[in-house]
Amino acid sequence: MSEALDAGFRHYAGRRARYLDAMDPVQCQRQLLQGLIRHARASRFGQEHDFARIGTVRDFQQRVPLRDYESFWRQYWQAAFPRIRNQTWPDPIPWFALSSGTSSGRSKYLPLSRAMLRAQRRAALDTLVWHQQACPWARPLAGRSFLLGGSTDLQSLAPGVKAGDLSGIAAETMPWWSRPWVYPPKRLALLADWDEKLRVLAKDSLRYDIRQLSGTPSWLLLLLEAVSALRGTLPPYPRLELLLHGGVPFAPYRPLFAPYLRDTRAELREVYAASEAFIASADDTPEAGLRLHLEHGAFYEFVPVRELGEERPQRHWLEDCVLDEDYALILSTAAGLWSYRIGDTVRILSRRPPRIAVVGRLQDYLSVFGEHLHPEELRAAIARAATEDGHPIVEWMVGARLDPAAPGRGRHLFLVESTIADASPTQRQAREEAMAHAIDRELQARNADYQEHRGLQLLAPRVLLLPPGSFARWLRRAGRLGGQNKIPRTVADPQRFAEILETIGEAAQTSER
């Protein structure tokens, strides 16, 4: 039975891959947008924006302005919530994916329609298709696919309307026929206490043939560490073929995963699966970027980051986007999001097939003192500090600290969690100073604005080394431990950053100089 299923999937994967490779990306996206507009024409949003008279992408861009979550919430969803129907999408909305909006911590209720859920499943299947084509030896249906997500215990907002973590929604709505290939079972997926869930899953999963593993890198590491403690010198999952990761840049995590994947054939593949849509997946090498899912419920627009503050910024799509430029990603979806600023920045790497690199979050740009630091520059500076320190960095965050004695002056404070704890305060201080110097040198070399402001408004950066596990303890206090929760890399608001620093822990506070 297993061999027949494998053979059947390989045949399907070959046909599907050939179809995707032959697809005209521009025509596919044009037809998808036209279909979304037709379906939503009679909705309140469709009538207010005259969908009946939209014939081209340019018509759509002229009639539908860019919006963020707060605009949709106030104008269309709040009054009817949680029973939202015929507002921005004609069909009833049975689920809301909770998204914390990494640096604000405030929950967003993002609508998830049945059509969008089906589209996300098809995108996940295409991800597996590309993996099968890249690794003909793979047998994904011979074992279990382990999704390390949040609790599937969804909130009931009204009869037939639920909200929760996207992975929880996916687990609860999984088709019955797919359950023999998916782990964990519902009784374990329902566990809400993250620490207990991790212990139980680590032990119980050893009873199964785990072939795929997916989740956020920081939480996957904790799982692999727990399983490794039970397995000793053996690989946690010896038959693992595919590890899917997403949500954060993976490069800093790669050396941390290597010991757990040794003696396996596991391929590492990145996915870009947001709460709003399953946007892209790796189909080639990491350097090639992520391939956009073109026919799975999302129409993509691209606005140059430098024009976001303008009244009428340029709006590009796959027909006229430019390679190697940083764009704010804009989505229109089969869940009633229209020209929605998702908050991420991407770079177009190729146009056929269309592949992107996720540059970062818009809030990850740091310019409290006019320094205009790019997320890639911050990541490069952290990587330089880790290299010179000789120890991988598990997590990090940067924020601004204003000088109360000198208005307008201040510095960047980097909160850094390393893989080791120092034996003495003297050792920690020496490491912090060396890492701060490395970060300062790298940022000055990469960014002229930063170099110009250093010594004027901007004082030398400082590093605060946190004990291992500090960020996890912070997330636990905030009730955000596990699942898809991520550490915000940049917190531009000094007051918000001070609040976060205060809750990181007493040890971290007292060690700051």
Side-chain angles (χ1 to χ4, degrees), residues 17-278:
R18 288 191 293 274
Y19 167 81
L20 292 171
D21 289 342
M23 177 188 295
D24 181 339
V26 171
Q27 182 64 11
C28 177
Q29 279 279 280
R30 180 185 289 114
Q31 291 176 348
L32 186 143
L33 178 63
Q34 290 170 345
L36 294 177
I37 291 171
R38 281 196 304 272
H39 189 75
R41 186 177 296 167
S43 68
R44 175 188 163 196
F45 189 94
Q47 292 179 8
E48 290 180 356
H49 294 80
D50 208 1
F51 274 16
R53 297 180 60 188
I54 293 178
T56 66
V57 173
R58 184 57 58 196
D59 292 341
F60 174 78
Q61 292 174 332
Q62 290 175 347
R63 293 181 184 275
V64 181
L66 303 179
R67 281 184 172 86
D68 58 14
Y69 173 82
E70 294 297 336
S71 296
F72 275 109
W73 175 255
R74 289 193 306 269
Q75 297 177 36
Y76 294 99
W77 302 334
Q78 186 174 19
F81 185 82
R83 291 185 172 278
I84 298 179
R85 181 172 187 173
N86 213 34
Q87 294 296 313
T88 59
W89 190 248
D91 306 328
I93 300 297
W95 304 284
F96 290 90
L98 292 180
S99 175
S100 62
T102 53
S103 54
S104 70
R106 182 176 51 194
S107 291
K108 301 175 184 176
Y109 286 81
L110 293 164
L112 180 60
S113 66
R114 288 184 171 83
M116 200 67 221
L117 186 61
R118 289 193 296 270
Q120 292 186 347
R121 289 176 183 156
R122 293 194 298 269
L125 186 59
D126 278 351
T127 301
L128 202 55
V129 164
W130 287 327
H131 172 63
Q132 183 73 67
Q133 289 303 102
C135 303
W137 49 264
R139 298 185 61 203
L141 301 183
R144 298 290 182 111
S145 175
F146 188 163
L147 172 61
L148 183 63
S151 171
T152 60
D153 192 12
L154 306 180
Q155 305 173 27
S156 180
L157 303 179
V161 182
K162 295 183 178 182
D165 186 273
L166 180 62
S167 61
I169 296 172
E172 183 173 278
T173 59
M174 191 177 302
W176 63 267
W177 52 263
S178 66
R179 295 190 181 277
W181 288 278
V182 177
Y183 184 86
K186 189 173 183 178
R187 62 182 177 83
L188 300 184
L190 278 169
L191 293 174
D193 184 279
W194 174 253
D195 294 310
E196 178 192 3
K197 184 174 184 175
L198 196 64
R199 287 193 298 270
V200 172
L201 292 180
K203 183 177 181 180
D204 185 75
S205 63
L206 293 178
R207 302 190 296 119
Y208 298 92
D209 181 6
I210 303 298
R211 297 297 180 106
Q212 302 170 52
L213 185 59
S214 59
T216 302
S218 55
W219 308 124
L220 288 176
L221 274 176
L222 291 176
L223 171 71
L224 291 172
E225 180 182 347
V227 176
S228 184
L230 299 172
R231 296 272 294 169
T233 58
L234 298 174
Y237 301 115
R239 289 185 158 185
L240 189 67
E241 297 179 351
L242 175 62
L243 190 147
L244 294 172
H245 59 87
V248 295
F250 190 71
Y253 292 96
R254 192 174 295 276
L256 302 177
F257 274 88
Y260 301 115
L261 303 182
R262 192 177 297 123
D263 299 325
T264 74
R265 303 179 76 180
E267 290 278 318
L268 293 165
R269 293 193 179 277
E270 183 177 358
V271 295
Y272 183 9
S275 298
E276 295 86 351
F278 199 142

